[in-house]
């Protein structure tokens, strides 16, 4: 084989001769963007978008429900196991966690999803007015919708619980944040 059979070094390694020119400390400012670094962009009014609120609420309530359901499962498993051996006690705790954790997490995730969908719909129906009345009304309507398959009495209780939860959330957010 002769040297003509091999390509010249820059064709194999196009950056072979510029090792001294590259530096991690030389940054071209034109590549930096002055945009929001969130997953979903902010709305035109500078507030977070409905989709971003939906993702945050659903995810945070799901994780919170999973933590609460896990704690409930630990307590329930320890109570049920009584004076059993440590292996059976651990099995009882794990079974209870597996039963309670996903149950609470899924229910809270669905409630958060319903609440944000109802809230977005109410905001759009009222002409992009986002105030306390939307949040409280959306909470009551979410409770009614969540319990709609269980009958009218359960719907009334669900609506009252949604009204209480959303009113408490508004009061806490207005007082502390």
């Amino acid at each position: 084989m002769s040297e003509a059979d091999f390509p010249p070094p820059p064709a194999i390694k196009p950056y072979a001769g510029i090792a001294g020119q590259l530096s991690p400390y030389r940054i071209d400012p034109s590549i930096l963007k002055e945009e929001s670094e969130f997953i979903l962009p902010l709305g035109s009014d500078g507030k977070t978008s409905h989709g971003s609120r939906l993702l945050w609420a659903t995810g945070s309530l799901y994780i919170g429900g999973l933590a609460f359901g896990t704690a409930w499962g630990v307590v329930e498993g320890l109570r049920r196991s009584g004076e059993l051996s440590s292996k059976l006690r651990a099995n009882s705790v794990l079974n209870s966690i597996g039963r309670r954790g996903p149950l609470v997490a899924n229910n809270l995730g669905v409630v958060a999803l319903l609440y944000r969908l109802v809230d977005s719909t109410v905001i759009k129906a009222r002409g992009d007015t986002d105030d306390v009345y939307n949040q409280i009304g959306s909470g009551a309507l979410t409770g009614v919708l969540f319990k709609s398959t269980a009958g009218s009495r359960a719907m009334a209780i669900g609506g009252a619980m949604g009204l209480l939860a959303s009113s408490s959330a508004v009061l806490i957010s207005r007082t502390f944040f």
Side-chain angles (χ1 to χ4, degrees):
M1 290 194 149
S2 67
E3 285 189 29
D5 294 335
F6 294 106
I12 296 172
K13 295 182 180 178
Y15 301 111
I18 61 170
Q21 298 173 5
L22 294 178
S23 170
Y25 304 110
R26 290 189 208 148
I27 297 174
D28 182 15
S30 66
I31 64 169
L32 299 176
K33 297 177 182 172
E34 295 294 327
E35 296 176 3
S36 174
E37 295 183 11
F38 296 105
I39 295 173
L40 296 172
L42 295 176
S44 60
D45 56 355
K47 295 181 179 180
T48 53
S49 66
H50 296 294
S52 181
R53 290 183 193 180
L54 180 108
L55 287 175
W56 181 85
T58 304
S60 60
L61 276 181
Y62 183 86
I63 296 296
L66 195 58
F68 180 77
T70 298
W72 182 11
V74 167
V75 171
E76 181 183 62
L78 290 174
R79 282 188 183 156
R80 284 186 174 189
S81 62
E83 299 297 322
L84 298 175
S85 69
S86 62
K87 287 184 179 182
L88 290 176
R89 184 172 238 186
N91 189 20
S92 174
V93 167
L94 290 174
N95 285 338
S96 295
I97 289 172
R99 183 173 38 255
R100 298 296 179 195
L103 175 76
V104 176
N106 289 337
N107 283 333
L108 284 180
V110 167
V111 166
L113 182 70
L114 275 175
Y115 173 77
R116 281 299 169 194
L117 289 174
V118 168
D119 189 45
S120 295
T121 305
V122 169
I123 288 171
K124 291 293 182 190
R126 290 189 63 209
D128 288 332
T129 304
D130 189 10
D131 57 3
V132 175
Y133 303 115
N134 286 356
Q135 296 170 356
I136 294 172
S138 297
L141 190 55
T142 298
V144 169
L145 285 174
F146 185 69
K147 288 297 186 179
S148 64
T149 60
S152 59
R153 183 173 184 270
M155 286 172 59
I157 292 171
M161 293 298 290
L163 181 71
L164 179 67
S166 60
S167 300
S168 300
V170 166
L171 182 65
I172 289 170
S173 69
R174 301 284 177 184
T175 305
F176 298 109
F177 300 110

